[in-house]
Amino acid sequence: MSSLLTIESLTRQDIEEMIGLAGGFREVLDRDVPKVPTLVGKTVSLLFYEVSTRTRLSFERAAKALSADTLTFAPGGSSVAKGESLKDTALTLQAMGPDLMVVRHKATGAPWRVAEWTGLPVVNAGDGAHQHPTQALLDVFTLHRRLGALDGLRAAIVGDIRHSRVARSTSQALVTLGAEVTLVAPRTLLPVDLTEWDVATADGIDEVLGEVDVIYLLRIQQERGGGDVFPSIAEYVGRFGLTRDRAEQLSADALVMHPGPMNRGVEIDPAVADGPRSLVTDQVTNGIALRMAVLYSLLSGEGAA
Amino acid sequence: MSGLIISGGLVVSGGDATAADVIVDEGIVTAVGPGLEIDDREVIDATDCWVGAGFVDLHTHLREPGQEWKENIESGRDAAAAGGYTAVLAMPNTDPVIDSGYVARQVKRGDGVRVIPSGAITMGRLGERLAHLDELWEAGVKVFTDDGDTVADGGVLRRAMEYIGQLGGLVAQHAEDPGLCAGGHMHEGSVSSRLGMMGLPSVGEEVIVARDLKLVELTGCRYHVQHVSTAGTVELIEAAKRSGLPVTAEVAPHHLALDHGEVSSMDPVFKMYPPLRTPDDVAAVREGLANGVIDCVATDHAPHAAFEKDVPFEEAPRGIIGLETAASIVHMSVGMDPTQFFDRMSHAPRRILGEDGAGVAVGATADLVVFRPEGTWTVENLRSRSNNTPWLDAKLEGVVGATIVGSDTMWRRSG
């Protein structure tokens, strides 16, 4: 593996190896000194064209826990404001000598282009509504730590699937590991054509409550609630929100996940987000370990294929 | 005298194809027939070639005035000659827009490959007020289009059809419903759903064509569907023709050859509007061209500089070049016989423009192309200023051996 751009390119064995590797790094994070010298002298460049808090911080934390240096680029107040192209920015950063680039961009395929232009290993940290592979891997890693093998796991993903790179990546990772995935969304927020997806769909969250082992909620962008793709936020919550009442209808062991940032009171009730079923903070901590595993794999020449 | 003899080819004229030589003296076709005397004429060996009237492209973006770094009129004409074209219809989405007689006259060039200006339907192609339609008509414009954008307002299009119909002109539509296609970058379907890109649905084209056909019924104006890309549009045109409406249509070579699976590479060279559709749509437009529901091929030659395409797919400008590869791609994709091939590439576009020249006639100014169907060539050293074609460096079948206008041989290629 020279770059991590998409979940589609990974086999079940690739994903399982990455989960195994992340498990080792997760233990490092629990030590008194949560740092190893594995990548001393390596530099990880973070090229983030979209606003990001947790993903960028998580990659930074992961790189530093491996003793790598980081070189962070954010477009606000930079040469991008002066009209520099993505290619020139990528080549400029490359000239500063990083060993790997982490790229987030609003356009589908941008990380592929950066990989072509620079010849460096690239980790896709989110391209448009296309892929977010480290999110998907940290999600299945988090579930795997809690539950073991995911074969036969019943998962529902609820929310704006159409515009979500998380939904695309995480559903693929779950399906690859043998889980059964149901997408729950208004028709206006489902992808138009699901023939390639190997998933089921449901028309409201009530249809799946009693029948899932994990319910994965996606952020609803508030600006979409003005009659653009659904009539109002209240009507969305009425059919798709995980309210406290609905959470009580979940089976006793069912888990709740969310990639963040959350809209409390919209897709998820605050009490559910903070309750015992919630894996939300586990996802954040596990994300660091998983990203350590990815950086290690790409920069040490070992690990997943 | 220094004439020319095209010897040993299959001469395609009207609906016939016969083995014959063609003599051109002082720019005029003086003889067509078997076993003609060479005398001291220059010989173009047309063995295994089809010889007929030069191709005519109803859809060329020459980029002049305003975007000469992509193409200009001279480079566009050179590219046309290399593709076997002897006339091109220049699209009006220049800067300034061809919406007045003055701009149309600047674009019109007479020698060699003819540049025929089309005119905008609305001022600035903004879809609101009628362009200077009388001025454009007087400047020689026959085809009116807001190409690149759709005349979306039914009231505006109705009045344009009434006015242009009275002049005797043709309304051509780039059919893309702005609401249905908003934010789209590629065909809406399984591939766009996987890639997470917003799509242009097939119905975005079809609802515009369906509405326009009702306006044709109302106004009687001649109407031409540009770059047909969906099976549904082919069905609409077929039904309209069956009911006798004055409707014609074109298809671009790339829609005959490629489908939306190509976009999986996320390479901006596959970005164009209308977008590459499904394999079923490709089959439908091939069949439509072969059986004549779609009248002709038109390239939608859309040059863009390399740096403009060297960006992520969604940020790239739309369009690919087509003049130099069209004949090969059409030949390889649809495999028509010589009379069909010349009808779709040369005769039908001339009919749509209201011109003669559906063949090789003694006494006429030479306007000829020699096409070797079984020859091969490699797409390189293009004459266009831009290289944005998915066939760059590809080996194609079907060679434009010579392009002749008057006493000028504007292009020769062996192979």
Side-chain angles (χ1 to χ4, degrees), chain A residues 8 87 105-109 113 117 129-130 168 192-193 196-197, chain B residues 188-190 193-198 266 268 309-312 314-315:
Chain A
E8 288 164 291
K87 182 176 185 177
H105 197 281
K106 68 177 189 303
T108 294
R113 309 242 71 195
W117 291 325
H130 182 210
R168 283 182 175 73
V192 172
D193 187 327
E196 294 183 4
W197 285 54
Chain B
E188 179 184 287
S190 57
S193 293
R194 168 169 27 98
L195 294 175
M197 279 202 264
M198 295 294 284
M266 297 175 283
K309 283 281 196 180
D310 206 6
V311 294
E314 288 157 280
E315 298 180 356

PDB file of all heavy atoms in Angstrom, chain A residues 8 87 105-109 113 117 129-130 168 192-193 196-197, chain B residues 188-190 193-198 266 268 309-312 314-315:
ATOM      1  N   GLU A   8     -12.619   1.222  -0.955  1.00  0.00           N
ATOM      2  CA  GLU A   8     -12.861   0.237  -2.022  1.00  0.00           C
ATOM      3  C   GLU A   8     -11.618  -0.563  -2.372  1.00  0.00           C
ATOM      4  O   GLU A   8     -11.703  -1.696  -2.825  1.00  0.00           O
ATOM      5  CB  GLU A   8     -13.330   0.944  -3.299  1.00  0.00           C
ATOM      6  CG  GLU A   8     -14.716   1.488  -3.236  1.00  0.00           C
ATOM      7  CD  GLU A   8     -14.942   2.496  -4.355  1.00  0.00           C
ATOM      8  OE1 GLU A   8     -14.353   3.596  -4.317  1.00  0.00           O
ATOM      9  OE2 GLU A   8     -15.693   2.161  -5.277  1.00  0.00           O
ATOM     10  N   LYS A  87      -2.459  22.390  -7.548  1.00  0.00           N
ATOM     11  CA  LYS A  87      -1.232  21.747  -8.016  1.00  0.00           C
ATOM     12  C   LYS A  87       0.004  22.506  -7.521  1.00  0.00           C
ATOM     13  O   LYS A  87       0.945  21.904  -7.001  1.00  0.00           O
ATOM     14  CB  LYS A  87      -1.227  21.676  -9.537  1.00  0.00           C
ATOM     15  CG  LYS A  87       0.007  20.975 -10.096  1.00  0.00           C
ATOM     16  CD  LYS A  87      -0.064  20.836 -11.607  1.00  0.00           C
ATOM     17  CE  LYS A  87       1.111  20.025 -12.119  1.00  0.00           C
ATOM     18  NZ  LYS A  87       1.029  19.811 -13.573  1.00  0.00           N
ATOM     19  N   HIS A 105     -10.037  17.936   0.834  1.00  0.00           N
ATOM     20  CA  HIS A 105     -10.421  18.910  -0.186  1.00  0.00           C
ATOM     21  C   HIS A 105     -11.894  18.729  -0.504  1.00  0.00           C
ATOM     22  O   HIS A 105     -12.414  17.618  -0.424  1.00  0.00           O
ATOM     23  CB  HIS A 105      -9.571  18.685  -1.446  1.00  0.00           C
ATOM     24  CG  HIS A 105      -9.569  19.854  -2.396  1.00  0.00           C
ATOM     25  ND1 HIS A 105     -10.609  20.111  -3.250  1.00  0.00           N
ATOM     26  CD2 HIS A 105      -8.645  20.820  -2.617  1.00  0.00           C
ATOM     27  CE1 HIS A 105     -10.326  21.200  -3.967  1.00  0.00           C
ATOM     28  NE2 HIS A 105      -9.141  21.649  -3.599  1.00  0.00           N
ATOM     29  N   LYS A 106     -12.558  19.800  -0.906  1.00  0.00           N
ATOM     30  CA  LYS A 106     -13.999  19.716  -1.170  1.00  0.00           C
ATOM     31  C   LYS A 106     -14.321  19.010  -2.484  1.00  0.00           C
ATOM     32  O   LYS A 106     -15.464  18.635  -2.717  1.00  0.00           O
ATOM     33  CB  LYS A 106     -14.635  21.106  -1.154  1.00  0.00           C
ATOM     34  CG  LYS A 106     -14.223  22.007  -2.311  1.00  0.00           C
ATOM     35  CD  LYS A 106     -14.966  23.331  -2.222  1.00  0.00           C
ATOM     36  CE  LYS A 106     -14.781  24.199  -3.452  1.00  0.00           C
ATOM     37  NZ  LYS A 106     -13.363  24.504  -3.762  1.00  0.00           N
ATOM     38  N   ALA A 107     -13.314  18.822  -3.337  1.00  0.00           N
ATOM     39  CA  ALA A 107     -13.571  18.210  -4.650  1.00  0.00           C
ATOM     40  C   ALA A 107     -13.236  16.723  -4.624  1.00  0.00           C
ATOM     41  O   ALA A 107     -12.152  16.318  -4.191  1.00  0.00           O
ATOM     42  CB  ALA A 107     -12.763  18.902  -5.736  1.00  0.00           C
ATOM     43  N   THR A 108     -14.163  15.924  -5.163  1.00  0.00           N
ATOM     44  CA  THR A 108     -13.928  14.494  -5.337  1.00  0.00           C
ATOM     45  C   THR A 108     -12.634  14.263  -6.118  1.00  0.00           C
ATOM     46  O   THR A 108     -12.420  14.900  -7.147  1.00  0.00           O
ATOM     47  CB  THR A 108     -15.113  13.883  -6.121  1.00  0.00           C
ATOM     48  OG1 THR A 108     -16.281  13.981  -5.315  1.00  0.00           O
ATOM     49  CG2 THR A 108     -14.860  12.428  -6.472  1.00  0.00           C
ATOM     50  N   GLY A 109     -11.812  13.356  -5.634  1.00  0.00           N
ATOM     51  CA  GLY A 109     -10.622  12.951  -6.388  1.00  0.00           C
ATOM     52  C   GLY A 109      -9.392  13.820  -6.162  1.00  0.00           C
ATOM     53  O   GLY A 109      -8.313  13.473  -6.659  1.00  0.00           O
ATOM     54  N   ARG A 113      -5.185  13.349  -7.356  1.00  0.00           N
ATOM     55  CA  ARG A 113      -4.402  14.278  -8.173  1.00  0.00           C
ATOM     56  C   ARG A 113      -3.111  14.679  -7.452  1.00  0.00           C
ATOM     57  O   ARG A 113      -2.049  14.741  -8.047  1.00  0.00           O
ATOM     58  CB  ARG A 113      -5.227  15.514  -8.517  1.00  0.00           C
ATOM     59  CG  ARG A 113      -6.597  15.179  -9.106  1.00  0.00           C
ATOM     60  CD  ARG A 113      -6.778  15.684 -10.511  1.00  0.00           C
ATOM     61  NE  ARG A 113      -5.981  14.961 -11.472  1.00  0.00           N
ATOM     62  CZ  ARG A 113      -5.745  15.384 -12.702  1.00  0.00           C
ATOM     63  NH1 ARG A 113      -6.226  16.526 -13.103  1.00  0.00           N
ATOM     64  NH2 ARG A 113      -5.026  14.670 -13.529  1.00  0.00           N
ATOM     65  N   TRP A 117       0.663  14.223  -8.848  1.00  0.00           N
ATOM     66  CA  TRP A 117       1.558  15.368  -9.053  1.00  0.00           C
ATOM     67  C   TRP A 117       2.840  15.230  -8.250  1.00  0.00           C
ATOM     68  O   TRP A 117       3.912  15.617  -8.698  1.00  0.00           O
ATOM     69  CB  TRP A 117       0.851  16.674  -8.641  1.00  0.00           C
ATOM     70  CG  TRP A 117      -0.278  17.083  -9.527  1.00  0.00           C
ATOM     71  CD1 TRP A 117      -0.378  16.925 -10.883  1.00  0.00           C
ATOM     72  CD2 TRP A 117      -1.496  17.748  -9.126  1.00  0.00           C
ATOM     73  NE1 TRP A 117      -1.561  17.438 -11.343  1.00  0.00           N
ATOM     74  CE2 TRP A 117      -2.265  17.955 -10.284  1.00  0.00           C
ATOM     75  CE3 TRP A 117      -1.987  18.180  -7.898  1.00  0.00           C
ATOM     76  CZ2 TRP A 117      -3.517  18.567 -10.260  1.00  0.00           C
ATOM     77  CZ3 TRP A 117      -3.226  18.808  -7.877  1.00  0.00           C
ATOM     78  CH2 TRP A 117      -3.978  18.996  -9.045  1.00  0.00           C
ATOM     79  N   ALA A 129     -17.874  14.515  -1.301  1.00  0.00           N
ATOM     80  CA  ALA A 129     -18.801  13.581  -0.682  1.00  0.00           C
ATOM     81  C   ALA A 129     -18.398  12.147  -1.028  1.00  0.00           C
ATOM     82  O   ALA A 129     -19.224  11.251  -1.026  1.00  0.00           O
ATOM     83  CB  ALA A 129     -20.221  13.864  -1.162  1.00  0.00           C
ATOM     84  N   HIS A 130     -17.129  11.946  -1.322  1.00  0.00           N
ATOM     85  CA  HIS A 130     -16.681  10.685  -1.890  1.00  0.00           C
ATOM     86  C   HIS A 130     -16.176   9.705  -0.843  1.00  0.00           C
ATOM     87  O   HIS A 130     -16.841   8.727  -0.528  1.00  0.00           O
ATOM     88  CB  HIS A 130     -15.597  11.002  -2.939  1.00  0.00           C
ATOM     89  CG  HIS A 130     -15.053   9.817  -3.655  1.00  0.00           C
ATOM     90  ND1 HIS A 130     -13.759   9.776  -4.135  1.00  0.00           N
ATOM     91  CD2 HIS A 130     -15.603   8.630  -3.966  1.00  0.00           C
ATOM     92  CE1 HIS A 130     -13.562   8.623  -4.735  1.00  0.00           C
ATOM     93  NE2 HIS A 130     -14.655   7.902  -4.639  1.00  0.00           N
ATOM     94  N   ARG A 168     -20.374   6.794   2.672  1.00  0.00           N
ATOM     95  CA  ARG A 168     -19.806   5.978   1.600  1.00  0.00           C
ATOM     96  C   ARG A 168     -18.701   5.077   2.130  1.00  0.00           C
ATOM     97  O   ARG A 168     -18.680   3.881   1.890  1.00  0.00           O
ATOM     98  CB  ARG A 168     -19.283   6.869   0.471  1.00  0.00           C
ATOM     99  CG  ARG A 168     -20.406   7.403  -0.399  1.00  0.00           C
ATOM    100  CD  ARG A 168     -19.957   8.253  -1.570  1.00  0.00           C
ATOM    101  NE  ARG A 168     -21.136   8.578  -2.364  1.00  0.00           N
ATOM    102  CZ  ARG A 168     -22.075   9.465  -1.978  1.00  0.00           C
ATOM    103  NH1 ARG A 168     -21.934  10.141  -0.849  1.00  0.00           N
ATOM    104  NH2 ARG A 168     -23.137   9.670  -2.720  1.00  0.00           N
ATOM    105  N   VAL A 192     -28.859   8.523  -5.548  1.00  0.00           N
ATOM    106  CA  VAL A 192     -29.885   8.244  -6.551  1.00  0.00           C
ATOM    107  C   VAL A 192     -29.875   6.783  -6.967  1.00  0.00           C
ATOM    108  O   VAL A 192     -30.913   6.179  -7.198  1.00  0.00           O
ATOM    109  CB  VAL A 192     -29.671   9.161  -7.773  1.00  0.00           C
ATOM    110  CG1 VAL A 192     -30.595   8.763  -8.910  1.00  0.00           C
ATOM    111  CG2 VAL A 192     -29.908  10.607  -7.376  1.00  0.00           C
ATOM    112  N   ASP A 193     -28.702   6.198  -7.055  1.00  0.00           N
ATOM    113  CA  ASP A 193     -28.579   4.836  -7.583  1.00  0.00           C
ATOM    114  C   ASP A 193     -27.725   4.016  -6.619  1.00  0.00           C
ATOM    115  O   ASP A 193     -26.543   4.292  -6.437  1.00  0.00           O
ATOM    116  CB  ASP A 193     -27.919   4.900  -8.972  1.00  0.00           C
ATOM    117  CG  ASP A 193     -27.904   3.546  -9.661  1.00  0.00           C
ATOM    118  OD1 ASP A 193     -27.796   2.523  -8.970  1.00  0.00           O
ATOM    119  OD2 ASP A 193     -27.997   3.521 -10.904  1.00  0.00           O
ATOM    120  N   GLU A 196     -24.689  -0.380  -6.760  1.00  0.00           N
ATOM    121  CA  GLU A 196     -23.353  -0.874  -6.432  1.00  0.00           C
ATOM    122  C   GLU A 196     -23.132  -1.009  -4.925  1.00  0.00           C
ATOM    123  O   GLU A 196     -22.028  -1.342  -4.496  1.00  0.00           O
ATOM    124  CB  GLU A 196     -22.287   0.102  -6.977  1.00  0.00           C
ATOM    125  CG  GLU A 196     -22.239   0.186  -8.498  1.00  0.00           C
ATOM    126  CD  GLU A 196     -21.124   1.117  -8.987  1.00  0.00           C
ATOM    127  OE1 GLU A 196     -20.357   1.626  -8.140  1.00  0.00           O
ATOM    128  OE2 GLU A 196     -21.026   1.320 -10.202  1.00  0.00           O
ATOM    129  N   TRP A 197     -24.137  -0.718  -4.088  1.00  0.00           N
ATOM    130  CA  TRP A 197     -23.858  -0.505  -2.670  1.00  0.00           C
ATOM    131  C   TRP A 197     -23.987  -1.732  -1.774  1.00  0.00           C
ATOM    132  O   TRP A 197     -23.447  -1.760  -0.699  1.00  0.00           O
ATOM    133  CB  TRP A 197     -24.754   0.618  -2.130  1.00  0.00           C
ATOM    134  CG  TRP A 197     -24.325   1.979  -2.567  1.00  0.00           C
ATOM    135  CD1 TRP A 197     -24.116   2.393  -3.848  1.00  0.00           C
ATOM    136  CD2 TRP A 197     -24.042   3.102  -1.735  1.00  0.00           C
ATOM    137  NE1 TRP A 197     -23.730   3.700  -3.866  1.00  0.00           N
ATOM    138  CE2 TRP A 197     -23.681   4.167  -2.569  1.00  0.00           C
ATOM    139  CE3 TRP A 197     -24.080   3.312  -0.361  1.00  0.00           C
ATOM    140  CZ2 TRP A 197     -23.337   5.432  -2.082  1.00  0.00           C
ATOM    141  CZ3 TRP A 197     -23.753   4.561   0.126  1.00  0.00           C
ATOM    142  CH2 TRP A 197     -23.381   5.615  -0.723  1.00  0.00           C
TER     143      TRP A 197
ATOM    144  N   GLU B 188     -25.889  11.587 -13.736  1.00  0.00           N
ATOM    145  CA  GLU B 188     -26.437  11.106 -12.473  1.00  0.00           C
ATOM    146  C   GLU B 188     -26.798   9.637 -12.618  1.00  0.00           C
ATOM    147  O   GLU B 188     -27.664   9.278 -13.424  1.00  0.00           O
ATOM    148  CB  GLU B 188     -27.691  11.911 -12.106  1.00  0.00           C
ATOM    149  CG  GLU B 188     -28.327  11.443 -10.808  1.00  0.00           C
ATOM    150  CD  GLU B 188     -29.612  12.186 -10.513  1.00  0.00           C
ATOM    151  OE1 GLU B 188     -29.524  13.368 -10.135  1.00  0.00           O
ATOM    152  OE2 GLU B 188     -30.685  11.611 -10.693  1.00  0.00           O
ATOM    153  N   GLY B 189     -26.123   8.787 -11.855  1.00  0.00           N
ATOM    154  CA  GLY B 189     -26.384   7.351 -11.940  1.00  0.00           C
ATOM    155  C   GLY B 189     -25.524   6.602 -10.957  1.00  0.00           C
ATOM    156  O   GLY B 189     -25.106   7.154  -9.933  1.00  0.00           O
ATOM    157  N   SER B 190     -25.256   5.345 -11.279  1.00  0.00           N
ATOM    158  CA  SER B 190     -24.525   4.493 -10.331  1.00  0.00           C
ATOM    159  C   SER B 190     -23.124   5.025 -10.060  1.00  0.00           C
ATOM    160  O   SER B 190     -22.638   4.970  -8.923  1.00  0.00           O
ATOM    161  CB  SER B 190     -24.452   3.065 -10.870  1.00  0.00           C
ATOM    162  OG  SER B 190     -23.850   3.049 -12.149  1.00  0.00           O
ATOM    163  N   SER B 193     -23.248   8.182  -7.922  1.00  0.00           N
ATOM    164  CA  SER B 193     -23.650   7.826  -6.561  1.00  0.00           C
ATOM    165  C   SER B 193     -22.476   7.236  -5.793  1.00  0.00           C
ATOM    166  O   SER B 193     -22.343   7.451  -4.595  1.00  0.00           O
ATOM    167  CB  SER B 193     -24.803   6.826  -6.596  1.00  0.00           C
ATOM    168  OG  SER B 193     -25.960   7.443  -7.124  1.00  0.00           O
ATOM    169  N   ARG B 194     -21.611   6.498  -6.470  1.00  0.00           N
ATOM    170  CA  ARG B 194     -20.415   5.961  -5.813  1.00  0.00           C
ATOM    171  C   ARG B 194     -19.408   7.064  -5.526  1.00  0.00           C
ATOM    172  O   ARG B 194     -18.809   7.116  -4.456  1.00  0.00           O
ATOM    173  CB  ARG B 194     -19.783   4.876  -6.686  1.00  0.00           C
ATOM    174  CG  ARG B 194     -18.389   4.503  -6.204  1.00  0.00           C
ATOM    175  CD  ARG B 194     -17.777   3.256  -6.828  1.00  0.00           C
ATOM    176  NE  ARG B 194     -18.234   2.911  -8.134  1.00  0.00           N
ATOM    177  CZ  ARG B 194     -17.586   3.206  -9.272  1.00  0.00           C
ATOM    178  NH1 ARG B 194     -16.457   3.894  -9.237  1.00  0.00           N
ATOM    179  NH2 ARG B 194     -18.084   2.831 -10.425  1.00  0.00           N
ATOM    180  N   LEU B 195     -19.222   7.962  -6.503  1.00  0.00           N
ATOM    181  CA  LEU B 195     -18.186   8.988  -6.353  1.00  0.00           C
ATOM    182  C   LEU B 195     -18.636  10.161  -5.478  1.00  0.00           C
ATOM    183  O   LEU B 195     -17.822  11.013  -5.119  1.00  0.00           O
ATOM    184  CB  LEU B 195     -17.768   9.516  -7.725  1.00  0.00           C
ATOM    185  CG  LEU B 195     -17.060   8.513  -8.628  1.00  0.00           C
ATOM    186  CD1 LEU B 195     -16.808   9.125 -10.008  1.00  0.00           C
ATOM    187  CD2 LEU B 195     -15.742   8.044  -8.021  1.00  0.00           C
ATOM    188  N   GLY B 196     -19.926  10.205  -5.166  1.00  0.00           N
ATOM    189  CA  GLY B 196     -20.414  11.306  -4.339  1.00  0.00           C
ATOM    190  C   GLY B 196     -20.461  12.626  -5.074  1.00  0.00           C
ATOM    191  O   GLY B 196     -20.464  13.675  -4.449  1.00  0.00           O
ATOM    192  N   MET B 197     -20.497  12.557  -6.405  1.00  0.00           N
ATOM    193  CA  MET B 197     -20.588  13.806  -7.170  1.00  0.00           C
ATOM    194  C   MET B 197     -22.041  14.057  -7.539  1.00  0.00           C
ATOM    195  O   MET B 197     -22.781  13.133  -7.852  1.00  0.00           O
ATOM    196  CB  MET B 197     -19.726  13.735  -8.430  1.00  0.00           C
ATOM    197  CG  MET B 197     -18.262  14.015  -8.143  1.00  0.00           C
ATOM    198  SD  MET B 197     -17.376  14.542  -9.616  1.00  0.00           S
ATOM    199  CE  MET B 197     -16.655  12.990 -10.145  1.00  0.00           C
ATOM    200  N   MET B 198     -22.422  15.330  -7.539  1.00  0.00           N
ATOM    201  CA  MET B 198     -23.760  15.683  -7.977  1.00  0.00           C
ATOM    202  C   MET B 198     -23.856  15.423  -9.476  1.00  0.00           C
ATOM    203  O   MET B 198     -22.894  15.633 -10.210  1.00  0.00           O
ATOM    204  CB  MET B 198     -24.046  17.147  -7.678  1.00  0.00           C
ATOM    205  CG  MET B 198     -24.085  17.466  -6.181  1.00  0.00           C
ATOM    206  SD  MET B 198     -25.464  16.645  -5.358  1.00  0.00           S
ATOM    207  CE  MET B 198     -26.816  17.701  -5.909  1.00  0.00           C
ATOM    208  N   MET B 266     -11.853   9.768 -12.379  1.00  0.00           N
ATOM    209  CA  MET B 266     -11.905  11.160 -11.906  1.00  0.00           C
ATOM    210  C   MET B 266     -10.955  12.052 -12.697  1.00  0.00           C
ATOM    211  O   MET B 266     -10.503  13.091 -12.212  1.00  0.00           O
ATOM    212  CB  MET B 266     -11.633  11.234 -10.394  1.00  0.00           C
ATOM    213  CG  MET B 266     -12.694  10.498  -9.591  1.00  0.00           C
ATOM    214  SD  MET B 266     -12.356  10.423  -7.813  1.00  0.00           S
ATOM    215  CE  MET B 266     -11.096   9.154  -7.744  1.00  0.00           C
ATOM    216  N   PRO B 268     -10.251  14.764 -15.367  1.00  0.00           N
ATOM    217  CA  PRO B 268     -11.067  15.825 -15.978  1.00  0.00           C
ATOM    218  C   PRO B 268     -11.156  15.751 -17.505  1.00  0.00           C
ATOM    219  O   PRO B 268     -11.986  16.442 -18.091  1.00  0.00           O
ATOM    220  CB  PRO B 268     -10.357  17.116 -15.551  1.00  0.00           C
ATOM    221  CG  PRO B 268      -9.565  16.737 -14.346  1.00  0.00           C
ATOM    222  CD  PRO B 268      -9.157  15.304 -14.538  1.00  0.00           C
ATOM    223  N   LYS B 309      -7.243  22.127 -17.184  1.00  0.00           N
ATOM    224  CA  LYS B 309      -7.768  20.790 -16.897  1.00  0.00           C
ATOM    225  C   LYS B 309      -6.954  20.081 -15.814  1.00  0.00           C
ATOM    226  O   LYS B 309      -7.335  19.006 -15.361  1.00  0.00           O
ATOM    227  CB  LYS B 309      -7.754  19.952 -18.185  1.00  0.00           C
ATOM    228  CG  LYS B 309      -8.881  20.272 -19.176  1.00  0.00           C
ATOM    229  CD  LYS B 309     -10.207  19.629 -18.757  1.00  0.00           C
ATOM    230  CE  LYS B 309     -11.214  19.610 -19.906  1.00  0.00           C
ATOM    231  NZ  LYS B 309     -12.503  18.987 -19.522  1.00  0.00           N
ATOM    232  N   ASP B 310      -5.832  20.662 -15.392  1.00  0.00           N
ATOM    233  CA  ASP B 310      -4.959  19.996 -14.422  1.00  0.00           C
ATOM    234  C   ASP B 310      -5.380  20.364 -12.999  1.00  0.00           C
ATOM    235  O   ASP B 310      -4.623  20.955 -12.222  1.00  0.00           O
ATOM    236  CB  ASP B 310      -3.500  20.389 -14.686  1.00  0.00           C
ATOM    237  CG  ASP B 310      -2.532  19.318 -14.197  1.00  0.00           C
ATOM    238  OD1 ASP B 310      -3.006  18.245 -13.758  1.00  0.00           O
ATOM    239  OD2 ASP B 310      -1.317  19.553 -14.256  1.00  0.00           O
ATOM    240  N   VAL B 311      -6.622  20.036 -12.678  1.00  0.00           N
ATOM    241  CA  VAL B 311      -7.259  20.377 -11.406  1.00  0.00           C
ATOM    242  C   VAL B 311      -8.197  19.213 -11.070  1.00  0.00           C
ATOM    243  O   VAL B 311      -8.398  18.335 -11.909  1.00  0.00           O
ATOM    244  CB  VAL B 311      -8.080  21.695 -11.540  1.00  0.00           C
ATOM    245  CG1 VAL B 311      -7.176  22.885 -11.810  1.00  0.00           C
ATOM    246  CG2 VAL B 311      -9.124  21.576 -12.634  1.00  0.00           C
ATOM    247  N   PRO B 312      -8.774  19.187  -9.862  1.00  0.00           N
ATOM    248  CA  PRO B 312      -9.764  18.144  -9.587  1.00  0.00           C
ATOM    249  C   PRO B 312     -10.959  18.234 -10.545  1.00  0.00           C
ATOM    250  O   PRO B 312     -11.289  19.319 -11.033  1.00  0.00           O
ATOM    251  CB  PRO B 312     -10.187  18.433  -8.143  1.00  0.00           C
ATOM    252  CG  PRO B 312      -9.022  19.150  -7.543  1.00  0.00           C
ATOM    253  CD  PRO B 312      -8.467  19.990  -8.658  1.00  0.00           C
ATOM    254  N   GLU B 314     -14.200  18.222 -10.374  1.00  0.00           N
ATOM    255  CA  GLU B 314     -15.315  19.158 -10.183  1.00  0.00           C
ATOM    256  C   GLU B 314     -14.927  20.599 -10.471  1.00  0.00           C
ATOM    257  O   GLU B 314     -15.783  21.438 -10.700  1.00  0.00           O
ATOM    258  CB  GLU B 314     -15.861  19.046  -8.752  1.00  0.00           C
ATOM    259  CG  GLU B 314     -16.633  17.759  -8.535  1.00  0.00           C
ATOM    260  CD  GLU B 314     -16.697  17.370  -7.072  1.00  0.00           C
ATOM    261  OE1 GLU B 314     -15.726  16.810  -6.534  1.00  0.00           O
ATOM    262  OE2 GLU B 314     -17.724  17.639  -6.453  1.00  0.00           O
ATOM    263  N   GLU B 315     -13.642  20.897 -10.444  1.00  0.00           N
ATOM    264  CA  GLU B 315     -13.189  22.270 -10.670  1.00  0.00           C
ATOM    265  C   GLU B 315     -12.754  22.507 -12.114  1.00  0.00           C
ATOM    266  O   GLU B 315     -12.360  23.616 -12.467  1.00  0.00           O
ATOM    267  CB  GLU B 315     -12.052  22.588  -9.688  1.00  0.00           C
ATOM    268  CG  GLU B 315     -12.545  22.501  -8.247  1.00  0.00           C
ATOM    269  CD  GLU B 315     -11.479  22.810  -7.214  1.00  0.00           C
ATOM    270  OE1 GLU B 315     -10.318  23.016  -7.597  1.00  0.00           O
ATOM    271  OE2 GLU B 315     -11.834  22.846  -6.020  1.00  0.00           O
TER     272      GLU B 315
END
